[in-house]
Amino acid sequence: MVASYFAAERDLGRVAADAGPDVLAPTLIGAAHLLFAGREGAPLEAGAVEKVVRTVIAVIAI
């Protein structure tokens, strides 16, 4: 689903033409997952998820 989204955004010209949705999707999912893996109730820092998403998306921006 995420790879399809990235592909659609690429086709619309909102993501770099050479972006690889099949690589970017698991990168984003994995990075977000690692924010929560092994946590024992401690809350994430404010903006932690947004920072990960923005970092991955920055790689594919036009």
Side-chain angles (χ1 to χ4, degrees):
M1 181 174 88
V2 176
S4 294
Y5 171 77
F6 282 139
E9 290 296 311
R10 182 192 58 202
D11 294 345
L12 292 169
R14 295 190 287 226
V15 168
D18 62 347
D22 293 334
V23 173
L24 292 168
T27 299
L28 179 60
I29 293 166
H33 169 76
L34 289 173
L35 288 175
F36 295 94
R39 290 189 93 61
E40 301 272 337
L44 288 173
E45 295 176 18
V49 174
E50 181 178 352
K51 181 178 179 181
V52 167
V53 172
R54 287 185 180 276
T55 300
V56 173
I57 299 298
V59 172
I60 61 172
I62 300 172

